[in-house]
């Protein structure tokens, strides 16, 4: 019974391909181009991601909120808080932790999952006057630059 149901479809496909081989090739080529165009070909680099994070840590310690928002955080991450809210958060953090003394990358991993944007997960141990914090960053490529999409302390 199933063969009788599929026969018209099979007949149509075989006839169409045999009589019109070029439209199928064009359709296949168009599908390949679409697939390649929809993929992000630029993958984040762990060393460039580290550089962006370390420059961001220095800017945070200096209290340069404008630079952090414009140069280091992604546009989506920036939209979560106003500049004033972020400035207050950094000031409270500095009151609790003190000035930054040093930082060290403890972990770096490139994450590439099918259907997801590639990213670099970085973990830092940041030593302050009063305490040492563990900070996690997720770095992605936005506008051709390595930017921080998530920053957890």
């Amino acid at each position: 019974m199933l063969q009788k149901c599929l026969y018209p479809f099979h007949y149509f496909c075989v006839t169409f391909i045999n009589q019109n081989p070029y439209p199928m090739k064009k359709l296949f080529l168009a599908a390949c181009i679409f697939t390649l165009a929809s993929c992000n070909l630029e993958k984040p680099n762990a060393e460039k991601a580290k550089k962006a994070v370390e420059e961001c840590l220095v800017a945070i310690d200096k209290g340069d909120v404008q630079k952090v928002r414009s140069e280091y955080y992604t546009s989506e991450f920036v939209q979560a808080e106003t500049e004033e809210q972020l400035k207050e958060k950094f000031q409270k953090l500095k009151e609790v932790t003190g000035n930054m003394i040093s930082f060290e990358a403890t972990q770096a991993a490139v994450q590439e999952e099918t259907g997801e944007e590639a990213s670099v997960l970085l973990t830092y141990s940041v030593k302050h006057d009063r305490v040492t914090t563990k900070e996690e960053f997720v770095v992605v490529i936005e506008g051709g630059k390595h930017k921080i999409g998530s920053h957890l302390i």
Side-chain angles (χ1 to χ4, degrees):
M1 181 72 177
L2 184 61
Q3 288 178 331
K4 289 182 181 178
C5 293
L6 292 178
Y7 183 75
F9 176 73
H10 179 265
Y11 177 76
F12 171 76
C13 289
V14 170
T15 305
F16 183 77
I17 292 171
N18 287 339
Q19 291 178 358
N20 303 308
Y22 298 110
M24 288 303 287
K25 288 180 183 177
K26 288 180 184 178
L27 182 62
F28 177 73
L29 182 61
C32 289
I33 291 171
F34 175 75
T35 302
L36 289 175
S38 64
C39 295
N40 184 3
L41 299 177
E42 191 173 9
K43 304 291 183 208
N45 179 302
E47 291 305 313
K48 289 181 181 179
K50 282 182 183 180
K51 183 180 178 199
V53 167
E54 291 170 4
E55 289 174 359
C56 179
L57 286 170
V58 171
I60 290 171
D61 190 53
K62 290 181 180 177
D64 194 353
V65 178
Q66 179 67 27
K67 187 174 185 178
V68 170
R69 286 174 54 92
S70 64
E71 292 185 29
Y72 303 115
Y73 284 176
T74 61
S75 57
E76 184 178 334
F77 195 44
V78 166
Q79 291 175 355
E81 298 177 305
T82 65
E83 188 171 340
E84 293 79 28
Q85 290 172 327
L86 192 60
K87 189 172 186 173
E88 282 181 32
K89 187 184 283 186
F90 287 159
Q91 285 174 346
K92 287 179 184 177
L93 180 66
K94 195 160 189 165
E95 288 172 10
V96 172
T97 62
N99 291 327
M100 182 177 64
I101 297 171
S102 65
F103 51 81
E104 178 185 10
T106 57
Q107 181 182 4
V110 177
Q111 297 178 327
E112 296 182 70
E113 294 181 21
T114 306
E116 296 289 326
E117 184 176 23
S119 62
V120 177
L121 175 64
L122 296 169
T123 305
Y124 275 79
S125 176
V126 183
K127 186 175 181 183
H128 300 272
D129 287 334
R130 297 184 189 108
V131 70
T132 300
T133 59
K134 177 184 172 186
E135 302 188 24
E136 294 180 356
F137 299 87
V138 176
V139 180
V140 296
I141 294 182
E142 181 181 86
K145 296 173 110 180
H146 286 73
K147 293 203 171 191
I148 298 166
S150 174
H151 179 187
L152 301 173
I153 301 171

